[in-house]
């Protein structure tokens, strides 16, 4: 029997990463314009959660490489399959690049990443150059905005499939509902 739903492990990693990315975006947004001490606390959590997202993404990639993925619905148009595959590939690139760029930028200021007060990840061995670090933070911010826009497109696509196409595609990443072939 063909499996049309993702495995429970893939679902857990998908939703954990999705929630963490949205929370991390809100942390960074809330830090902008906040009083300095509050902004620093929010950004400290943002950085730790970013490293957590990196670790979860590596686990997700390992899971994806070691577990069979369900086929896409045969009802999807060719352009929909191409768009979905392209966006998913970009998601993986951003889920790796964003935390790494943040870590590199942070390291350019000679700072490690405090992991929720449990331990500190040391700075990467990069030059102590705040100007370069600031430029990398700017790129990180643009890519973060790109990630949020792609998430919005991803959600809109899922809602289109659910409410307009009524093809059950949304249930591939949920443990309930009927997935159609």
């Amino acid at each position: 029997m063909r499996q049309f739903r993702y495995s429970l492990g893939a679902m857990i990693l998908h939703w954990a990463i999705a929630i963490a990315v949205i929370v991390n975006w809100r942390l960074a947004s809330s830090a902008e314009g906040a009083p300095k001490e509050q902004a620093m606390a929010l950004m400290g959590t943002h950085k730790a959660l970013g490293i957590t997202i990196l670790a979860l993404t590596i686990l997700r990639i390992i899971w994806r490489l070691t577990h069979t993925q369900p086929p896409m619905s045969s009802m999807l148009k060719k352009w929909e399959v191409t768009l979905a595959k392209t966006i998913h590939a970009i998601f993986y690139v951003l889920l790796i690049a964003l935390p790494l760029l943040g870590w590199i930028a942070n390291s350019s200021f000679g700072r490690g990443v405090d992991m929720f007060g449990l331990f500190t990840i040391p700075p990467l061995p990069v030059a102590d150059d705040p100007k370069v670090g600031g430029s990398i933070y700017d790129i990180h911010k643009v890519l973060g905005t790109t990630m949020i826009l792609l998430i919005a497109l991803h959600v809109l696509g899922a809602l289109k499939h659910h409410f307009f196409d009524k093809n059950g595609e949304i249930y591939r990443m949920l443990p309930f509902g009927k997935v159609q072939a």
Side-chain angles (χ1 to χ4, degrees), residues 67-177:
H67 292 77
T68 304
Q69 302 302 305
M72 290 187 154
S73 171
S74 59
M75 292 186 275
L76 295 177
K77 296 172 182 76
K78 185 176 179 178
W79 70 266
E80 290 174 313
V81 171
T82 301
L83 183 61
K85 288 181 177 184
T86 302
I87 289 175
H88 281 99
I90 295 169
F91 275 148
Y92 282 113
V93 168
L94 291 174
L95 287 167
I96 297 289
L98 279 164
L100 286 179
L101 285 171
W103 190 8
I104 292 166
N106 201 56
S107 298
S108 296
F109 289 88
R111 296 190 294 247
V113 178
D114 177 2
M115 292 300 292
F116 307 107
L118 300 172
F119 58 92
T120 300
I121 296 176
L124 293 167
V126 297
D128 190 358
D129 189 339
K131 186 176 178 184
V132 170
S135 295
I136 294 171
Y137 276 137
D138 291 342
I139 294 167
H140 176 83
K141 186 174 181 177
V142 168
L143 292 178
T145 300
T146 302
M147 172 68 93
I148 295 304
L149 293 172
L150 287 175
I151 289 170
L153 182 61
H154 182 66
V155 169
L156 287 172
L159 294 174
K160 173 211 177 271
H161 290 301
H162 186 70
F163 291 110
F164 294 100
D165 300 341
K166 300 183 189 306
N167 62 10
E169 202 55 20
I170 199 168
Y171 297 118
R172 288 165 35 95
M173 195 48 84
L174 295 170
F176 54 84

Side-chain angles (χ1 to χ4, degrees), residues 11-27:
M11 287 182 203
I12 290 169
L13 288 167
H14 171 273
W15 290 108
I17 292 168
I19 291 166
V21 167
I22 299 296
V23 168
N24 228 19
W25 165 58
R26 295 304 309 141
L27 285 167

